[in-house]
């Protein structure tokens, strides 16, 4: 363990300002995906601990809701500064538990801080309305109030930045939180507890529990004190949470699965398209919900694109994330590797051609070669299923309408990308694609200023942008009479 990392490594849960173990004393092992060795443990908490965390958040909410927007803004600015002051230590911890390169981890920590800063600013702009009254003797006001206790459940692929988009708006709005990080990457989430302590976050405002997803989830969904669930993860679990939280009519924000298309037209800047393709496909070793899942390349540019993409993929340096220069860390676990192998076997059996990579890396464990498959067809698994790994399937197309139809042929609608030099085509395609986010001649588009989220079965709600705080506020209409006007 690197010395400066241990300061933030908490092998306990944060409930009502105290770092505690599970009632049962049971723990979960946390594994370093680069070595397969145990990094440490975290409590295997369940329903009882979660209930106490919710009650602590509810108690804290009674006073936190009365803080001013300026106070909360200043608290978030201090949190931003604490994150950036400890960027290296937090990045090391993230790399050790998730596997991504230190460069990517530092980028994720900076992104986390950027979202917190964005919501420090948004806290002071959660405006209401004074509406021109239809009555001479009454006044019409519209105010916005914090919803109360929120529950945040986050995935293993971006264990810090996913939390920033939930804790940021929650604090900005005056809510309090119960957080459940992914069991494979709990330390980055628990580190937020240490950061909150450092900046003087009142106890009980942020509570963090680790352990049995089902038991924790059931308590979150059933407990009437929880007014909102914000979840990032698979569509399968998202649907379960929506269903289970219906019994208490909670607000839900869902950032779910994707199946991103990446279209390259004959009139695209080829080198720019290849650069964007590498970024949009192999970031976090392909383990992001906005990673390209299907490349559709027009016939005239197809062969040159495949050759250049394969060559660029071959150059990516694979290794442990803590090593200098590494661009592709291990996948989260061997199960993820087996899933990528299934996609490759299916494609090859149906006529696909591996033009780069295609097998486990010589480093062994869950390291995998960045892979490109040409000759992809719509009958192959990755046409409909999210790969979540470093595999780039390339489909060829002839006409623009055909490419847009293929891109839209999925129940998902999170992110999509296309490259063209033609302005008219850019507007036709942007308006034709049924997705929440569109990259035009860009492969990396996430930023706090823009609303992140999807349509169809990729989710509900938006994170970031001026929209990001809306789901943490209730709207109240006030009609005031008897004023003797
Ligand atoms: N739209 C977006 O922004 C993003 C979407 N994703 C999607 O998430 C998936 C990969 O992440 P992954 O972590 O495997 O997703 P999962 O949905 O398996 O897990 C996400 C989180 O949900 C928890 N969870 C699982 N089951 C339950 C339950 N019954 N009740 C409450 N919580 C539960 C997990 O806990 P535990 O770890 O203990 O199992 C984890 O913390 C991919 O499909 C990817 O597309 C990922 C990132 C971003
Ligand atoms: O979890 C993810 O996949 C992230 O949302 C991707 S991004 O926000 O870093 O682009």
């Amino acid at each position: 363990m690197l010395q400066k990392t241990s300061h933030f490594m908490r092998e306990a849960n944060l409930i009502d300002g105290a770092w505690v173990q599970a009632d049962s004393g049971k723990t979960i092992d946390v594994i370093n995906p680069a070595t397969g060795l145990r990094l440490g443990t975290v409590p295997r908490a369940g329903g009882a601990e979660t209930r106490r965390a919710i009650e602590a958040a509810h108690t804290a909410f009674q006073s936190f809701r009365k803080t001013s927007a300026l106070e909360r803004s200043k608290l978030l600015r201090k949190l931003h500064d604490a994150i950036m002051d400890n960027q290296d230590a937090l990045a090391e911890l993230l790399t050790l538990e998730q596997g991504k390169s230190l460069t990517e981890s530092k980028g994720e920590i900076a992104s986390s801080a950027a979202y917190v800063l964005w919501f420090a600013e948004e806290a002071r702009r959660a405006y209401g309305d004074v509406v021109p009254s239809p009555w001479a003797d009454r006044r019409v006001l519209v105010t916005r109030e914090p919803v109360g206790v929120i529950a945040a459940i986050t995935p293993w692929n971006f264990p810090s930045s996913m939390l920033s988009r939930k804790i940021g708006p929650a604090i900005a709005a005056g809510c309090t939180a119960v957080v459940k990080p992914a069991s494979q990457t709990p330390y980055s989430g628990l580190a937020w507890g240490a950061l909150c302590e450092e900046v003087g976050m009142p106890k009980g405002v942020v509570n963090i529990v680790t352990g049995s997803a089902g038991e924790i989830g059931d308590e979150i969904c059933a407990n009437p004190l929880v007014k909102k669930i914000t979840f990032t993860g698979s569509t399968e679990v998202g649907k379960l949470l929506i269903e289970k939280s219906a019994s208490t009519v909670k607000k839900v924000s869902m950032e779910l699965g994707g199946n991103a298309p990446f279209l390259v037209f004959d009139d695209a800047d080829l080198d720019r398209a290849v650069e964007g393709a590498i970024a949009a496909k192999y970031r976090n070793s392909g383990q992001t919900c906005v990673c390209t899942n299907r490349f559709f390349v027009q016939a005239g540019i197809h062969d040159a694109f495949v050759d250049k993409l394969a060559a660029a993929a071959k150059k990516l340096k694979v290794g442990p994330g803590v090593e200098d220069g590494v661009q592709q860390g291990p996948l989260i676990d061997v199960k993820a590797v087996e899933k990528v192998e299934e996609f490759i076997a299916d494609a090859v059996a149906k006529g696909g051609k591996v033009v780069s990579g295609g097998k486990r890396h010589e480093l062994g464990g869950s390291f995998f070669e960045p892979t490109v498959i040409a000759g992809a067809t719509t009958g192959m698994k990755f046409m409909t299923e999210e790969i979540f790994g470093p595999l780039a399937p390339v489909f060829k197309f002839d006409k623009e309408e055909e490419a847009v139809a293929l891109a839209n042929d999925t129940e998902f609608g999170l992110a999509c990308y296309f490259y063209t030099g033609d302005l008219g085509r850019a507007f036709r395609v942007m308006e034709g694609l049924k997705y929440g986010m569109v990259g035009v001649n860009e492969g990396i588009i996430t930023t706090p200023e823009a609303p992140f989220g999807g349509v169809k079965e990729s989710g509900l709600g938006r994170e970031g942008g001026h929209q990001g705080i809306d789901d943490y506020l209730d709207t109240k209409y006030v009609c005031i009479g008897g004023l003797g006007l």
Side-chain angles (χ1 to χ4, degrees):
M1 173 60 63
L2 300 151
Q3 192 51 42
K4 55 188 166 180
T5 301
S6 57
H7 171 64
F8 286 102
M9 190 172 154
R10 293 287 192 282
E11 296 187 281
N13 283 185
L14 181 60
I15 299 178
D16 199 18
W19 290 96
V20 297
Q21 294 305 313
D23 293 351
S24 65
K26 288 182 180 169
T27 60
I28 299 173
D29 287 349
V30 183
I31 303 300
N32 177 340
T35 64
L37 300 177
R38 191 177 76 172
L39 276 174
T41 64
V42 290
R44 182 189 290 275
E49 297 93 333
T50 305
R51 191 161 38 256
R52 291 200 298 273
I54 293 167
E55 286 160 359
H58 178 70
T59 302
F61 177 63
Q62 306 320 310
S63 48
F64 196 63
R65 66 196 297 264
K66 294 173 186 161
T67 54
S68 74
L70 183 56
E71 283 174 278
R72 297 196 299 271
S73 178
K74 287 178 177 175
L75 204 47
L76 285 170
R77 281 182 184 281
K78 284 171 72 177
L79 184 58
H80 162 271
D81 295 347
I83 292 169
M84 290 311 291
D85 290 346
N86 297 285
Q87 184 182 14
D88 288 350
L90 294 166
E92 278 174 3
L93 191 56
L94 204 167
T95 288
L96 287 170
E97 66 173 356
Q98 199 274 344
K100 65 181 73 174
S101 71
L102 268 181
T103 304
E104 287 200 30
S105 286
K106 285 177 184 168
E108 180 176 344
I109 298 301
S111 174
S112 302
Y115 274 95
V116 169
L117 185 61
W118 173 258
F119 285 107
E121 297 155 355
E122 288 296 286
R124 302 179 66 193
R125 290 166 183 76
Y127 301 132
D129 299 304
V130 175
V131 183
S133 172
W135 305 287
D137 61 347
R138 297 182 224 175
R139 291 296 176 262
V140 175
L141 305 183
V142 178
T143 64
R144 301 171 82 195
E145 299 174 347
V147 299
V149 175
I150 70 104
I153 301 173
T154 51
W156 50 259
N157 62 342
F158 286 86
S160 183
S161 62
M162 289 307 99
L163 207 40
S164 68
R165 303 169 178 179
K166 301 171 189 307
I167 287 189
I171 301 295
C175 296
T176 54
V178 175
V179 173
K180 186 221 162 299
S183 296
Q184 289 178 295
T185 55
Y187 291 131
S188 296
L190 290 163
W192 278 73
L195 290 162
C196 285
E197 281 181 329
E198 273 195 22
V199 302
M201 192 74 69
K203 79 180 180 83
V205 170
V206 174
N207 304 272
I208 308 171
V209 292
T210 57
S212 161
E215 288 178 41
I216 294 170
D218 287 351
E219 180 59 31
I220 283 171
C221 290
N223 195 310
L225 295 178
V226 174
K227 300 304 180 193
K228 172 192 176 52
I229 294 177
T230 170
F231 171 75
T232 299
S234 63
T235 293
E236 178 196 358
V237 174
K239 287 179 177 177
L240 191 66
L241 294 171
I242 293 170
E243 194 180 328
K244 288 189 173 188
S245 58
S247 63
T248 47
V249 194
K250 296 183 194 324
K251 282 175 174 278
V252 289
S253 299
M254 293 282 150
E255 294 292 350
L256 305 178
N259 183 358
F262 187 110
L263 283 55
V264 184
F265 292 97
D266 285 345
D267 52 40
D269 173 331
L270 177 59
D271 290 333
R272 185 181 179 90
V274 171
E275 187 185 346
I278 289 290
K281 174 66 253 183
Y282 296 105
R283 181 161 69 103
N284 199 15
S285 299
Q287 300 170 121
T288 95
C289 58
V290 293
C291 275
T292 297
N293 215 60
R294 300 164 291 156
F295 286 92
F296 296 104
V297 185
Q298 200 161 21
I301 201 171
H302 173 273
D303 294 353
F305 178 85
V306 168
D307 291 347
K308 281 181 175 274
L309 181 65
K314 278 194 182 80
K315 283 191 191 137
L316 292 171
K317 185 180 176 193
V318 178
V322 292
E323 267 179 33
D324 281 349
V326 161
Q327 295 164 296
Q328 291 283 289
L331 300 195
I332 189 70
D333 55 26
V334 173
K335 207 167 72 175
V337 169
E338 289 163 357
K339 196 174 160 198
V340 174
E341 288 174 328
E342 272 175 42
F343 281 110
I344 294 171
D346 171 76
V348 169
K350 294 171 183 171
K353 181 168 173 289
V354 175
V355 292
S356 172
K359 61 185 188 308
R360 298 190 188 201
H361 193 272
E362 61 189 11
L363 286 171
S366 58
F367 292 95
F368 203 85
E369 295 176 346
T371 298
V372 177
I373 285 186
T377 57
T378 54
M380 296 174 184
K381 262 170 80 79
F382 40 53
M383 177 64 190
T384 54
E385 292 178 37
E386 185 177 38
I387 298 166
F388 232 64
L391 163 58
V394 183
F395 300 70
K396 188 192 288 189
F397 73 89
D398 292 311
K399 295 194 179 318
E400 179 185 300
E401 308 74 53
E402 174 196 356
V404 172
L406 284 167
N408 285 334
D409 184 14
T410 170
E411 70 271 29
F412 294 109
L414 191 57
C416 61
Y417 313 90
F418 67 91
Y419 281 70
T420 179
D422 181 312
L423 196 55
R425 167 169 283 160
F427 274 87
R428 286 195 304 273
V429 174
M430 173 209 30
E431 291 169 359
L433 289 169
K434 297 182 177 55
Y435 288 83
M437 300 178 281
V438 187
V440 183
N441 298 329
E442 290 294 345
I444 300 284
I445 58 179
T446 302
T447 184
E449 290 80 0
F452 185 103
V455 296
K456 299 163 74 175
E457 296 197 16
S458 286
L460 296 166
R462 290 295 183 269
E463 297 193 317
H466 73 77
Q467 299 86 344
I469 198 171
D470 293 348
D471 287 351
Y472 294 79
L473 293 164
D474 281 330
T475 297
K476 178 180 281 180
Y477 154 46
V478 182
C479 177
I480 307 172
L483 300 171
L485 299 174

